[in-house]
Amino acid sequence: MRILLAPMEGLLDFRLRDTLTRVGGFDECVSEFIRVNNTLLPSHRFYRYVPELHENCRTRSGVPVKVQLLGSDINCMAENASKVASLGAYGIDINFGCPAPTVNRNRGGAALLKEPDLMFAIVKAIRKAVTANIPVTAKMRLGYDSTEQALVCAKALEEGGAEEIVVHARTKTDGYKPPAYWDWISKIRSTVNVPVVANGEIWTAEDAKRCQEVSGCRDIMIGRGAVANPALALMIRGKRNQNLSWDEIKEILYLYWLNLEKTVDTRSRGGRIKQWLHYLSREYQEAKRDFEIVKRFTNLDEFTFYWKQGR
């Protein structure tokens, strides 16, 4: 079994990748999407999203990171894939799943699920643009507003040259509302001959097991579940039988805050911590209490005093 860590725009970036992979249990990560429009991006743009490129494209705990691209211009996507490959990318992932309206209005992410021929062309161009030793993978949803073309889209990705497909088991219209339709992943697995990774609504080790049974997938990708429970990957593997203690979570939060200090302004750091506490509140009552306290903080000294000096 492989467990992949998903990106989350505006939260699960390289800083949180570093934090969660230190906890352990992950085999691979995927970066936040890098938007490709009509130009060849400068190197610093790739390094900004994926600073792990400086370290053999691995987190500090040694977990490899694929670089995810999003866009609809075939040639431009291929050129940028070639560029990031030359910078040392571990792999290239293509985003056909983002449901954000601003992305979809600009013909990106899940909007391309309405154009399987274009999906095929993008994957084929990227596969041709990078050397064979660099894997090219794709992430898709079950469709835009229906599952009518789910199998067609998956087949287009395979025929274009995708070596693995991550399937988020909802349509764009479904957003992130439960349930996830894992049975559709099973249908996709029966249609393609490349590995399929199951994604969507995996919050517990029991969810992971049920997802594997229903989808038939051995490999899974988790995102929100890992943010809500940093030990989830270890629990899925059977290496832990309970959550981290709140004292352990507090220490992780503090180290994350220090990591944010290097590149994020004080106000934005507070927003990131509040986002994380929001997810943690699914598993920890203490997170709800601490959210009410932390949301008033405006500087690092307050945060340091709170986490290190107690209540």
Side-chain angles (χ1 to χ4, degrees):
M1 173 178 60
R2 294 162 58 236
I3 301 178
L4 284 61
L5 179 61
M8 290 172 60
E9 180 71 12
L11 178 61
L12 214 172
D13 59 3
F14 68 89
R15 305 169 188 91
L16 196 46
R17 280 199 298 275
D18 175 55
T19 303
L20 293 177
T21 55
R22 284 171 186 255
V23 175
F26 293 100
D27 297 287
E28 187 178 291
C29 306
V30 178
S31 77
E32 291 180 288
F33 68 76
I34 299 172
R35 191 190 299 265
V36 173
N37 290 319
N38 57 358
T39 186
L40 180 62
L41 299 174
S43 298
H44 68 79
R45 181 76 64 85
F46 295 111
Y47 287 125
R48 187 176 78 194
Y49 281 90
V50 193
E52 296 97 336
L53 285 164
H54 291 296
E55 303 296 335
N56 199 29
C57 218
R58 282 164 168 73
T59 66
R60 281 185 278 187
S61 55
V63 179
V65 182
K66 285 180 181 170
V67 180
Q68 188 178 84
L69 302 180
L70 179 150
S72 57
D73 184 304
I74 299 168
N75 293 330
C76 199
M77 286 284 281
E79 290 173 358
N80 279 278
S82 178
K83 174 70 174 287
V84 75
S86 74
L87 299 178
Y90 163 78
I92 308 294
D93 189 68
I94 313 166
N95 185 316
F96 297 112
C98 179
T102 53
V103 170
N104 298 159
R105 280 197 297 270
N106 288 284
R107 207 184 180 194
L112 296 184
L113 294 167
K114 296 184 285 187
E115 302 183 70
D117 289 344
L118 180 56
M119 294 171 66
F120 165 83
I122 290 171
V123 176
K124 184 177 181 180
I126 289 177
R127 178 66 278 174
K128 185 177 180 180
V130 301
T131 57
N133 64 306
I134 297 178
V136 173
T137 61
K139 186 176 183 184
M140 62 174 280
R141 283 178 172 251
L142 298 180
Y144 190 81
D145 51 13
S146 77
T147 58
E148 184 178 354
Q149 294 200 91
L151 303 183
V152 174
C153 288
K155 199 65 181 173
L157 297 179
E158 178 190 26
E159 292 177 351
E163 296 164 45
E164 180 175 85
I165 302 171
V166 177
V167 180
H168 183 107
R170 286 180 274 232
T171 65
K172 182 273 179 190
T173 304
D174 292 331
Y176 294 97
K177 300 187 299 291
Y181 301 96
W182 298 326
D183 56 314
W184 263 98
I185 302 179
S186 178
K187 296 176 185 178
I188 289 172
R189 281 187 68 251
S190 299
T191 301
V192 299
N193 296 307
V194 295
V196 175
V197 179
N199 173 237
E201 214 62 22
I202 300 174
W203 297 96
T204 66
E206 292 72 25
D207 289 339
K209 182 178 180 181
R210 193 164 61 254
C211 175
Q212 288 173 314
E213 291 171 350
V214 174
S215 69
C217 292
R218 176 191 60 191
D219 302 334
I220 59 174
M221 173 180 276
I222 56 177
R224 294 180 301 156
V227 176
N229 178 6
L232 179 57
L234 293 174
M235 294 172 73
I236 291 170
R237 293 189 182 281
K239 293 184 177 181
R240 285 188 65 95
N241 57 18
Q242 59 185 6
N243 294 357
L244 297 170
S245 70
W246 185 243
D247 283 341
E248 290 172 307
I249 292 293
K250 284 195 299 182
E251 186 62 27
I252 291 171
L253 281 163
Y254 178 66
L255 293 174
Y256 175 61
W257 177 267
L258 295 180
N259 201 0
L260 289 171
E261 182 185 16
K262 301 171 186 175
T263 53
V264 179
D265 65 83
T266 299
R267 184 171 183 176
S268 297
R269 291 204 302 274
R272 292 292 182 96
I273 289 292
K274 285 187 283 185
Q275 276 184 288
W276 198 0
L277 284 170
H278 169 71
Y279 279 101
L280 287 167
S281 66
R282 286 183 61 102
E283 297 288 331
Y284 297 93
Q285 286 296 318
E286 298 94 333
K288 296 179 182 179
R289 175 200 63 202
D290 289 355
F291 174 83
E292 293 302 317
I293 299 171
V294 170
K295 73 179 184 181
R296 297 190 292 270
F297 291 174
T298 58
N299 62 62
L300 179 61
D301 290 339
E302 290 176 301
F303 190 92
T304 302
F305 179 81
Y306 182 69
W307 292 110
K308 286 302 190 182
Q309 301 299 320
R311 308 298 179 262

